[in-house]
Amino acid sequence: MRRRRFLGGTAAALAASCAPLSGCGGGAERGGRPRLRFLSLAWQKESVEANRQLVRAWNRVRPDVPVDYVQGSWDSVHDQLLTSFEGGEAPDVIHDASDDLADFAYGGSLADLSGRLPRRLREDIPERSWEAVTFGGGVYGVPFLQEPRVLVANRALLDSSGVRVPTPRSPWSWEEFEDAARALTRRGAYGVAWPLKEPVSATLNLALSTGGRIFRRRADGSAEIRFDAVDQQVPRIIRDQVVRHGTASRTTLGMGGSDTLPGFFAGKYAMVPLGFSFRQQLDQQAPKGFAWTVLPAPAGRGGLRQGVSPQTLSVAEASPYQDEAVAFIDFVLRPRNMVRLALGDWMLPTGTAALRDPALHTEEHDWATGTALAAHLRPAPAQAVRGYPEWKDKVATPALQEFYSGAIGEDELGDRLVEDGNLVLARYQR
Protein backbone atom coordinates (compact mmCIF):
# COMPACT_ATOMS: atom_id res chain seq x y z
CA MET A 1 0.00 0.00 0.00
CA ARG A 2 1.90 2.97 -1.24
CA ARG A 3 0.83 6.30 0.17
CA ARG A 4 0.28 9.39 -1.95
CA ARG A 5 1.54 12.81 -0.92
CA PHE A 6 -0.20 16.10 -0.54
CA LEU A 7 1.81 17.61 2.33
CA GLY A 8 4.81 17.43 0.06
CA GLY A 9 7.06 19.97 1.74
CA THR A 10 6.94 18.40 5.18
CA ALA A 11 7.27 14.85 3.95
CA ALA A 12 10.04 15.65 1.50
CA ALA A 13 12.03 17.49 4.14
CA LEU A 14 11.74 14.60 6.58
CA ALA A 15 12.72 12.07 3.93
CA ALA A 16 15.64 14.15 2.71
CA SER A 17 17.03 14.49 6.23
CA CYS A 18 17.53 10.69 6.40
CA ALA A 19 17.92 9.60 2.78
CA PRO A 20 20.52 6.83 3.28
CA LEU A 21 18.96 4.37 5.72
CA SER A 22 22.31 3.46 7.14
CA GLY A 23 23.15 7.06 7.98
CA CYS A 24 20.34 7.90 10.42
CA GLY A 25 19.53 7.29 14.03
CA GLY A 26 22.93 6.26 15.36
CA GLY A 27 22.70 2.56 14.43
CA ALA A 28 22.75 -0.60 16.52
CA GLU A 29 25.66 -1.17 18.86
CA ARG A 30 26.92 -4.43 17.40
CA GLY A 31 28.61 -6.43 20.07
CA GLY A 32 27.41 -4.07 22.83
CA ARG A 33 24.02 -3.60 24.41
CA PRO A 34 21.08 -3.84 22.02
CA ARG A 35 20.16 -0.66 20.17
CA LEU A 36 17.51 -0.80 17.46
CA ARG A 37 16.85 1.35 14.43
CA PHE A 38 13.21 1.73 13.44
CA LEU A 39 12.53 2.80 9.86
CA SER A 40 9.18 4.60 9.80
CA LEU A 41 7.39 5.67 6.62
CA ALA A 42 4.86 7.83 8.46
CA TRP A 43 4.65 11.18 6.70
CA GLN A 44 1.56 13.05 7.84
CA LYS A 45 2.16 15.34 10.82
CA GLU A 46 -0.18 13.46 13.17
CA SER A 47 1.19 10.08 12.13
CA VAL A 48 4.84 11.11 12.46
CA GLU A 49 4.18 12.48 15.93
CA ALA A 50 2.30 9.34 16.98
CA ASN A 51 5.22 7.16 15.88
CA ARG A 52 7.79 9.36 17.59
CA GLN A 53 5.75 9.37 20.80
CA LEU A 54 5.59 5.58 20.78
CA VAL A 55 9.37 5.38 20.34
CA ARG A 56 9.84 7.77 23.27
CA ALA A 57 7.40 5.72 25.38
CA TRP A 58 9.31 2.52 24.60
CA ASN A 59 12.61 4.15 25.48
CA ARG A 60 11.21 5.17 28.87
CA VAL A 61 10.04 1.67 29.79
CA ARG A 62 12.88 -0.23 28.07
CA PRO A 63 16.02 1.90 28.47
CA ASP A 64 18.01 -1.34 28.14
CA VAL A 65 16.97 -1.57 24.47
CA PRO A 66 16.81 1.99 23.13
CA VAL A 67 15.24 2.58 19.71
CA ASP A 68 16.32 5.25 17.23
CA TYR A 69 13.64 6.65 14.95
CA VAL A 70 14.68 6.72 11.27
CA GLN A 71 12.49 8.69 8.85
CA GLY A 72 11.98 7.05 5.48
CA SER A 73 9.90 7.81 2.39
CA TRP A 74 7.28 5.75 0.57
CA ASP A 75 8.61 7.13 -2.71
CA SER A 76 11.99 5.45 -2.42
CA VAL A 77 11.74 2.78 0.28
CA HIS A 78 12.12 -0.25 -2.00
CA ASP A 79 15.39 0.93 -3.56
CA GLN A 80 16.72 2.16 -0.22
CA LEU A 81 15.98 -1.15 1.44
CA LEU A 82 17.56 -3.05 -1.43
CA THR A 83 20.73 -1.01 -1.03
CA SER A 84 20.77 -1.32 2.75
CA PHE A 85 20.23 -5.09 2.66
CA GLU A 86 23.05 -5.54 0.16
CA GLY A 87 25.32 -3.29 2.21
CA GLY A 88 24.56 -4.96 5.53
CA GLU A 89 23.14 -1.75 7.02
CA ALA A 90 19.42 -2.47 7.14
CA PRO A 91 17.32 -1.04 9.98
CA ASP A 92 16.28 -3.59 12.58
CA VAL A 93 12.55 -2.81 12.38
CA ILE A 94 11.16 -1.94 8.96
CA HIS A 95 7.89 -0.20 8.09
CA ASP A 96 6.70 -1.13 4.59
CA ALA A 97 3.66 -2.49 2.75
CA SER A 98 2.82 -6.14 2.25
CA ASP A 99 2.97 -5.90 -1.55
CA ASP A 100 6.66 -4.92 -1.28
CA LEU A 101 7.75 -7.85 0.90
CA ALA A 102 7.74 -10.90 -1.38
CA ASP A 103 11.12 -10.45 -3.05
CA PHE A 104 12.78 -9.44 0.25
CA ALA A 105 11.20 -12.44 2.00
CA TYR A 106 12.13 -14.98 -0.66
CA GLY A 107 15.56 -13.39 -0.95
CA GLY A 108 16.36 -13.96 2.73
CA SER A 109 16.53 -10.30 3.74
CA LEU A 110 13.64 -10.43 6.23
CA ALA A 111 13.38 -12.57 9.33
CA ASP A 112 10.74 -15.28 9.49
CA LEU A 113 8.63 -14.30 12.51
CA SER A 114 6.85 -17.66 12.75
CA GLY A 115 6.99 -18.80 16.36
CA ARG A 116 8.45 -15.49 17.53
CA LEU A 117 5.31 -13.40 17.74
CA PRO A 118 3.50 -13.06 21.08
CA ARG A 119 0.25 -14.99 21.26
CA ARG A 120 -1.72 -11.81 21.98
CA LEU A 121 -0.57 -10.16 18.76
CA ARG A 122 -0.91 -13.30 16.65
CA GLU A 123 -4.50 -13.91 17.78
CA ASP A 124 -5.64 -10.28 17.69
CA ILE A 125 -5.01 -9.89 13.96
CA PRO A 126 -7.31 -12.03 11.74
CA GLU A 127 -5.82 -14.84 9.71
CA ARG A 128 -6.89 -13.16 6.46
CA SER A 129 -4.48 -10.30 7.29
CA TRP A 130 -1.64 -12.68 8.13
CA GLU A 131 -2.05 -14.21 4.68
CA ALA A 132 -0.77 -10.94 3.23
CA VAL A 133 2.62 -11.38 4.92
CA THR A 134 3.01 -15.16 4.55
CA PHE A 135 5.44 -16.29 1.87
CA GLY A 136 6.54 -19.88 1.39
CA GLY A 137 5.13 -20.84 4.77
CA GLY A 138 6.99 -18.11 6.69
CA VAL A 139 5.63 -14.91 8.23
CA TYR A 140 7.71 -11.89 7.25
CA GLY A 141 5.86 -8.96 8.74
CA VAL A 142 3.05 -7.86 11.02
CA PRO A 143 0.14 -6.22 9.16
CA PHE A 144 -1.20 -3.30 11.20
CA LEU A 145 -2.95 -0.70 8.99
CA GLN A 146 -5.25 -1.24 6.02
CA GLU A 147 -7.23 0.96 3.66
CA PRO A 148 -10.42 0.03 1.81
CA ARG A 149 -11.27 1.74 -1.44
CA VAL A 150 -14.51 3.73 -1.14
CA LEU A 151 -16.64 6.12 -3.19
CA VAL A 152 -16.34 9.74 -2.11
CA ALA A 153 -19.49 11.59 -3.19
CA ASN A 154 -20.71 15.17 -3.46
CA ARG A 155 -23.54 15.17 -0.93
CA ALA A 156 -25.60 17.88 -2.63
CA LEU A 157 -25.43 16.23 -6.05
CA LEU A 158 -26.20 12.83 -4.54
CA ASP A 159 -29.28 14.13 -2.71
CA SER A 160 -30.63 16.06 -5.69
CA SER A 161 -30.27 13.08 -8.04
CA GLY A 162 -32.81 10.97 -6.21
CA VAL A 163 -30.64 7.84 -6.33
CA ARG A 164 -30.68 5.43 -3.43
CA VAL A 165 -27.80 6.11 -1.07
CA PRO A 166 -25.89 2.87 -0.44
CA THR A 167 -24.63 1.71 2.96
CA PRO A 168 -22.35 -1.14 4.02
CA ARG A 169 -25.46 -3.13 4.95
CA SER A 170 -27.16 -2.34 1.63
CA PRO A 171 -24.49 -1.46 -0.93
CA TRP A 172 -24.98 -0.78 -4.61
CA SER A 173 -24.46 -3.65 -7.00
CA TRP A 174 -22.15 -2.82 -9.88
CA GLU A 175 -25.25 -2.44 -12.07
CA GLU A 176 -26.77 0.04 -9.59
CA PHE A 177 -23.48 1.91 -9.55
CA GLU A 178 -23.66 2.27 -13.32
CA ASP A 179 -27.25 3.50 -13.05
CA ALA A 180 -26.26 5.99 -10.35
CA ALA A 181 -23.42 7.31 -12.50
CA ARG A 182 -25.93 7.91 -15.31
CA ALA A 183 -28.33 9.70 -12.96
CA LEU A 184 -25.52 11.87 -11.61
CA THR A 185 -24.20 12.80 -15.06
CA ARG A 186 -25.55 16.16 -16.06
CA ARG A 187 -24.52 18.94 -18.38
CA GLY A 188 -21.01 19.96 -17.41
CA ALA A 189 -20.65 17.24 -14.77
CA TYR A 190 -19.74 13.55 -14.86
CA GLY A 191 -21.22 10.97 -12.55
CA VAL A 192 -17.80 9.56 -11.68
CA ALA A 193 -14.09 10.23 -12.10
CA TRP A 194 -11.68 7.29 -12.16
CA PRO A 195 -8.14 8.39 -11.19
CA LEU A 196 -6.20 5.54 -12.79
CA LYS A 197 -2.67 6.80 -13.22
CA GLU A 198 -1.74 3.53 -11.50
CA PRO A 199 -4.58 1.27 -12.68
CA VAL A 200 -3.40 -2.19 -11.67
CA SER A 201 -4.03 -2.32 -7.93
CA ALA A 202 -7.43 -0.62 -8.26
CA THR A 203 -8.48 -3.06 -10.98
CA LEU A 204 -7.29 -6.21 -9.22
CA ASN A 205 -8.52 -5.24 -5.77
CA LEU A 206 -12.01 -4.19 -6.85
CA ALA A 207 -12.34 -7.29 -9.03
CA LEU A 208 -12.45 -9.44 -5.89
CA SER A 209 -16.03 -8.22 -5.44
CA THR A 210 -17.03 -9.96 -8.69
CA GLY A 211 -15.06 -13.11 -7.92
CA GLY A 212 -12.11 -12.07 -10.07
CA ARG A 213 -8.50 -12.75 -9.15
CA ILE A 214 -6.48 -12.75 -12.41
CA PHE A 215 -3.68 -14.56 -10.51
CA ARG A 216 -4.40 -18.20 -9.74
CA ARG A 217 -2.38 -21.13 -8.44
CA ARG A 218 -1.71 -24.32 -10.39
CA ALA A 219 -1.69 -27.71 -8.68
CA ASP A 220 2.10 -27.48 -8.23
CA GLY A 221 1.76 -24.13 -6.43
CA SER A 222 3.09 -21.97 -9.26
CA ALA A 223 1.15 -18.88 -10.27
CA GLU A 224 -0.55 -18.28 -13.58
CA ILE A 225 -2.54 -15.39 -15.03
CA ARG A 226 -6.04 -15.85 -16.40
CA PHE A 227 -8.56 -13.28 -17.56
CA ASP A 228 -11.88 -15.02 -17.14
CA ALA A 229 -15.38 -13.52 -17.23
CA VAL A 230 -15.31 -12.68 -13.52
CA ASP A 231 -12.00 -10.86 -14.01
CA GLN A 232 -13.33 -8.85 -16.94
CA GLN A 233 -16.41 -7.38 -15.29
CA VAL A 234 -14.87 -4.43 -13.42
CA PRO A 235 -12.52 -3.36 -16.25
CA ARG A 236 -15.44 -3.52 -18.70
CA ILE A 237 -17.64 -1.34 -16.47
CA ILE A 238 -14.93 1.30 -16.12
CA ARG A 239 -14.23 1.35 -19.86
CA ASP A 240 -17.93 1.53 -20.70
CA GLN A 241 -18.40 4.48 -18.37
CA VAL A 242 -15.57 6.32 -20.09
CA VAL A 243 -15.97 5.25 -23.72
CA ARG A 244 -19.58 4.16 -24.28
CA HIS A 245 -21.78 5.91 -21.77
CA GLY A 246 -19.85 9.13 -21.16
CA THR A 247 -20.61 8.96 -17.43
CA ALA A 248 -16.92 9.01 -16.42
CA SER A 249 -14.35 11.62 -17.29
CA ARG A 250 -11.67 10.55 -19.78
CA THR A 251 -9.23 13.22 -18.59
CA THR A 252 -8.96 11.78 -15.06
CA LEU A 253 -7.65 8.41 -16.28
CA GLY A 254 -4.09 9.70 -16.15
CA MET A 255 -4.51 11.36 -12.75
CA GLY A 256 -3.68 10.33 -9.23
CA GLY A 257 -6.36 10.60 -6.58
CA SER A 258 -5.25 14.00 -5.31
CA ASP A 259 -5.37 15.43 -8.84
CA THR A 260 -9.12 14.85 -9.05
CA LEU A 261 -10.04 16.78 -5.93
CA PRO A 262 -10.13 20.31 -7.42
CA GLY A 263 -12.62 19.08 -10.04
CA PHE A 264 -14.58 17.21 -7.39
CA PHE A 265 -14.86 20.35 -5.26
CA ALA A 266 -15.89 22.33 -8.35
CA GLY A 267 -18.76 19.92 -9.06
CA LYS A 268 -17.23 18.42 -12.21
CA TYR A 269 -17.54 14.88 -10.83
CA ALA A 270 -20.18 13.62 -8.43
CA MET A 271 -18.21 10.59 -7.22
CA VAL A 272 -14.54 9.58 -7.06
CA PRO A 273 -13.28 6.10 -6.04
CA LEU A 274 -10.47 6.76 -3.56
CA GLY A 275 -8.65 5.20 -0.66
CA PHE A 276 -10.28 5.69 2.73
CA SER A 277 -7.42 7.87 4.01
CA PHE A 278 -8.21 10.57 1.43
CA ARG A 279 -10.82 11.78 3.91
CA GLN A 280 -8.10 13.76 5.64
CA GLN A 281 -7.34 15.59 2.43
CA LEU A 282 -11.04 16.24 1.88
CA ASP A 283 -11.39 17.55 5.42
CA GLN A 284 -8.46 19.91 5.00
CA GLN A 285 -9.06 21.13 1.47
CA ALA A 286 -12.81 21.17 0.85
CA PRO A 287 -14.22 24.67 0.33
CA LYS A 288 -16.34 26.10 3.13
CA GLY A 289 -19.85 24.69 2.92
CA PHE A 290 -18.90 21.81 0.63
CA ALA A 291 -20.50 18.57 1.91
CA TRP A 292 -18.97 15.21 1.05
CA THR A 293 -19.79 11.71 2.14
CA VAL A 294 -18.24 8.24 1.96
CA LEU A 295 -20.06 5.35 0.29
CA PRO A 296 -18.97 1.70 0.14
CA ALA A 297 -17.55 0.46 -3.15
CA PRO A 298 -20.05 -1.58 -5.22
CA ALA A 299 -20.70 -5.23 -4.40
CA GLY A 300 -20.77 -8.22 -6.75
CA ARG A 301 -21.02 -11.99 -6.38
CA GLY A 302 -18.23 -11.71 -3.80
CA GLY A 303 -20.17 -9.12 -1.84
CA LEU A 304 -18.15 -6.14 -0.60
CA ARG A 305 -14.91 -8.10 -0.73
CA GLN A 306 -11.90 -6.18 -2.00
CA GLY A 307 -8.15 -6.56 -1.91
CA VAL A 308 -5.77 -4.53 0.25
CA SER A 309 -2.04 -4.41 0.86
CA PRO A 310 -1.67 -3.68 4.57
CA GLN A 311 1.12 -1.61 6.00
CA THR A 312 3.55 -3.84 7.85
CA LEU A 313 6.35 -3.97 10.41
CA SER A 314 9.14 -6.46 9.66
CA VAL A 315 12.48 -7.43 11.16
CA ALA A 316 15.71 -7.58 9.17
CA GLU A 317 17.23 -11.06 8.97
CA ALA A 318 20.67 -9.53 9.61
CA SER A 319 19.58 -7.89 12.86
CA PRO A 320 21.39 -9.44 15.85
CA TYR A 321 18.52 -8.33 18.07
CA GLN A 322 15.51 -9.98 16.49
CA ASP A 323 13.81 -10.88 19.78
CA GLU A 324 14.11 -7.30 20.99
CA ALA A 325 12.80 -6.04 17.65
CA VAL A 326 9.74 -8.29 17.96
CA ALA A 327 9.15 -7.02 21.50
CA PHE A 328 9.23 -3.43 20.18
CA ILE A 329 6.73 -4.30 17.44
CA ASP A 330 4.43 -5.90 20.04
CA PHE A 331 4.62 -2.72 22.13
CA VAL A 332 3.91 -0.41 19.20
CA LEU A 333 0.94 -2.53 18.13
CA ARG A 334 -0.88 -2.80 21.43
CA PRO A 335 -4.56 -2.05 20.77
CA ARG A 336 -4.56 1.51 22.07
CA ASN A 337 -1.36 2.26 20.16
CA MET A 338 -2.76 0.72 16.97
CA VAL A 339 -5.78 3.01 17.32
CA ARG A 340 -3.47 6.03 17.60
CA LEU A 341 -1.63 5.00 14.46
CA ALA A 342 -4.89 4.42 12.58
CA LEU A 343 -6.29 7.81 13.57
CA GLY A 344 -3.03 9.51 12.62
CA ASP A 345 -3.13 7.99 9.14
CA TRP A 346 -6.95 8.07 8.73
CA MET A 347 -6.85 4.34 8.03
CA LEU A 348 -8.16 1.16 9.68
CA PRO A 349 -6.23 -1.03 12.12
CA THR A 350 -6.04 -4.74 11.43
CA GLY A 351 -6.35 -5.72 15.10
CA THR A 352 -9.80 -6.78 16.23
CA ALA A 353 -9.44 -5.11 19.64
CA ALA A 354 -8.42 -1.80 18.05
CA LEU A 355 -11.28 -2.00 15.55
CA ARG A 356 -13.75 -2.04 18.44
CA ASP A 357 -12.56 1.33 19.73
CA PRO A 358 -15.43 3.87 19.76
CA ALA A 359 -13.23 6.48 18.05
CA LEU A 360 -13.37 4.36 14.88
CA HIS A 361 -17.17 4.07 14.87
CA THR A 362 -18.20 7.72 14.80
CA GLU A 363 -20.32 9.32 12.09
CA GLU A 364 -17.87 12.21 11.90
CA HIS A 365 -15.71 11.86 8.79
CA ASP A 366 -17.59 8.61 8.08
CA TRP A 367 -15.30 6.50 10.25
CA ALA A 368 -18.18 4.07 10.84
CA THR A 369 -18.58 3.43 7.11
CA GLY A 370 -14.97 2.41 6.70
CA THR A 371 -14.85 0.32 9.86
CA ALA A 372 -17.90 -1.62 8.66
CA LEU A 373 -15.87 -2.68 5.60
CA ALA A 374 -12.95 -4.14 7.58
CA ALA A 375 -14.36 -7.67 7.67
CA HIS A 376 -14.56 -7.71 3.86
CA LEU A 377 -10.91 -6.87 3.21
CA ARG A 378 -8.64 -9.59 1.84
CA PRO A 379 -4.99 -9.72 0.75
CA ALA A 380 -4.47 -8.25 -2.70
CA PRO A 381 -4.55 -11.10 -5.28
CA ALA A 382 -0.95 -10.68 -6.43
CA GLN A 383 0.42 -10.43 -2.89
CA ALA A 384 2.75 -13.44 -2.92
CA VAL A 385 3.36 -13.72 -6.68
CA ARG A 386 7.00 -13.41 -7.65
CA GLY A 387 7.37 -11.34 -10.79
CA TYR A 388 4.29 -9.26 -10.06
CA PRO A 389 6.16 -5.90 -9.97
CA GLU A 390 7.60 -6.53 -13.45
CA TRP A 391 4.22 -7.69 -14.81
CA LYS A 392 2.54 -4.64 -13.31
CA ASP A 393 5.03 -2.13 -14.67
CA LYS A 394 5.84 -3.61 -18.08
CA VAL A 395 2.63 -5.40 -19.04
CA ALA A 396 -0.47 -4.57 -17.04
CA THR A 397 -0.13 -0.80 -16.52
CA PRO A 398 0.27 0.15 -20.21
CA ALA A 399 -2.31 -2.44 -21.33
CA LEU A 400 -4.97 -1.25 -18.87
CA GLN A 401 -4.27 2.40 -19.60
CA GLU A 402 -4.81 1.77 -23.32
CA PHE A 403 -7.92 -0.29 -22.66
CA TYR A 404 -9.57 2.26 -20.41
CA SER A 405 -8.92 5.04 -22.89
CA GLY A 406 -10.46 3.00 -25.72
CA ALA A 407 -7.22 2.48 -27.65
CA ILE A 408 -7.43 -1.32 -27.52
CA GLY A 409 -10.28 -3.80 -27.10
CA GLU A 410 -10.99 -6.48 -24.54
CA ASP A 411 -9.47 -9.31 -26.60
CA GLU A 412 -6.15 -7.55 -26.96
CA LEU A 413 -6.18 -6.58 -23.28
CA GLY A 414 -6.66 -10.22 -22.33
CA ASP A 415 -3.94 -11.42 -24.69
CA ARG A 416 -1.41 -8.99 -23.29
CA LEU A 417 -2.27 -9.56 -19.64
CA VAL A 418 -2.23 -13.33 -20.00
CA GLU A 419 0.26 -14.23 -22.71
CA ASP A 420 2.86 -11.56 -22.01
CA GLY A 421 2.21 -11.83 -18.29
CA ASN A 422 2.76 -15.57 -18.04
CA LEU A 423 6.04 -15.20 -19.89
CA VAL A 424 7.14 -12.78 -17.18
CA LEU A 425 6.04 -15.08 -14.35
CA ALA A 426 7.75 -18.08 -15.93
CA ARG A 427 11.15 -16.46 -15.50
CA TYR A 428 10.58 -16.16 -11.74
CA GLN A 429 9.22 -19.68 -11.26
CA ARG A 430 11.88 -21.79 -12.89
Side-chain angles (χ1 to χ4, degrees):
M1 177 185 305
R2 304 306 160 82
R3 297 300 305 273
R4 82 280 174 218
R5 300 192 178 281
F6 67 96
L7 302 178
T10 301
L14 287 169
S17 68
C18 289
L21 297 183
S22 61
C24 299
E29 298 177 9
R30 313 301 175 186
R33 69 169 184 166
R35 188 177 191 92
L36 305 177
R37 283 175 295 158
F38 167 40
L39 170 68
S40 171
L41 301 182
W43 60 276
Q44 300 185 79
K45 181 180 178 182
E46 297 90 342
S47 183
V48 170
E49 183 55 29
N51 277 270
R52 288 186 176 275
Q53 286 177 356
L54 290 175
V55 169
R56 290 194 292 268
W58 166 270
N59 287 339
R60 285 194 298 270
V61 299
R62 291 295 306 270
D64 57 316
V65 188
V67 171
D68 294 319
Y69 181 95
V70 180
Q71 184 63 59
S73 165
W74 285 108
D75 291 341
S76 56
V77 64
H78 183 86
D79 290 341
Q80 288 186 344
L81 284 174
L82 194 62
T83 300
S84 69
F85 285 138
E86 291 177 349
E89 293 289 345
D92 301 274
V93 179
I94 298 165
H95 180 189
D96 203 350
S98 59
D99 61 353
D100 193 38
L101 300 185
D103 286 343
F104 294 138
Y106 287 119
S109 298
L110 298 178
D112 180 1
L113 303 181
S114 302
R116 289 178 176 267
L117 297 170
R119 181 175 179 180
R120 177 208 67 80
L121 185 61
R122 194 69 172 86
E123 293 181 352
D124 183 53
I125 297 173
E127 190 58 37
R128 60 179 178 270
S129 294
W130 289 112
E131 291 174 8
V133 294
T134 301
F135 307 97
V139 175
Y140 293 92
V142 180
F144 70 103
L145 290 181
Q146 55 191 345
E147 181 177 25
R149 193 172 296 269
V150 295
L151 299 174
V152 175
N154 181 316
R155 186 83 226 190
L157 295 179
L158 189 67
D159 291 343
S160 65
S161 71
V163 302
R164 180 180 73 83
V165 178
T167 67
R169 285 182 175 272
S170 182
W172 282 332
S173 66
W174 281 99
E175 292 77 13
E176 287 179 293
F177 169 63
E178 291 184 277
D179 292 340
R182 291 188 185 94
L184 288 162
T185 298
R186 302 177 182 182
R187 188 170 183 176
Y190 291 96
V192 63
W194 286 96
L196 292 174
K197 182 178 181 180
E198 297 180 2
V200 181
S201 63
T203 302
L204 268 63
N205 290 339
L206 288 174
L208 282 185
S209 69
T210 64
R213 293 196 62 84
I214 295 185
F215 289 89
R216 293 168 174 82
R217 293 286 178 181
R218 300 185 181 98
D220 63 0
S222 62
E224 68 172 340
I225 298 169
R226 299 211 309 255
F227 195 54
D228 299 336
V230 290
D231 305 302
Q232 297 164 13
Q233 186 174 345
V234 169
R236 185 184 300 123
I237 288 170
I238 296 173
R239 176 192 164 95
D240 284 351
Q241 288 182 327
V242 175
V243 177
R244 291 182 58 200
H245 306 317
T247 56
S249 169
R250 186 186 297 268
T251 59
T252 63
L253 292 176
M255 293 183 181
S258 298
D259 301 327
T260 63
L261 295 187
F264 177 65
F265 295 142
K268 292 182 179 179
Y269 331 114
M271 300 182 291
V272 186
L274 294 170
F276 192 54
S277 64
F278 271 87
R279 294 168 305 126
Q280 185 196 36
Q281 201 165 342
L282 292 164
D283 182 59
Q284 293 183 350
Q285 297 183 5
K288 186 176 181 180
F290 183 90
W292 53 272
T293 189
V294 172
L295 311 174
R301 60 184 288 185
L304 285 168
R305 185 172 297 187
Q306 61 172 281
V308 291
S309 297
Q311 292 188 20
T312 58
L313 294 178
S314 300
V315 176
E317 174 63 24
S319 172
Y321 307 118
Q322 293 183 8
D323 290 339
E324 292 84 352
V326 170
F328 172 70
I329 291 174
D330 181 47
F331 173 83
V332 168
L333 299 185
R334 290 176 181 173
R336 65 170 182 247
N337 294 340
M338 200 182 285
V339 172
R340 292 174 63 187
L341 295 172
L343 291 172
D345 259 331
W346 291 61
M347 298 175 71
L348 301 180
T350 58
T352 54
L355 275 168
R356 291 194 294 266
D357 193 283
L360 302 177
H361 292 266
T362 64
E363 296 302 322
E364 185 179 14
H365 301 133
D366 290 318
W367 274 104
T369 299
T371 305
L373 301 176
H376 303 281
L377 304 181
R378 297 293 185 273
Q383 204 70 73
V385 177
R386 299 202 71 180
Y388 167 72
E390 182 178 342
W391 174 80
K392 180 188 71 173
D393 293 341
K394 296 183 179 179
V395 178
T397 294
L400 285 168
Q401 286 174 337
E402 292 177 45
F403 176 72
Y404 288 140
S405 69
I408 64 173
E410 196 168 275
D411 289 343
E412 183 171 350
L413 172 66
D415 289 344
R416 288 167 61 174
L417 293 180
V418 175
E419 294 179 12
D420 295 349
N422 281 322
L423 289 174
V424 170
L425 297 193
R427 295 202 304 272
Y428 290 83
Q429 298 182 140
R430 290 171 181 165

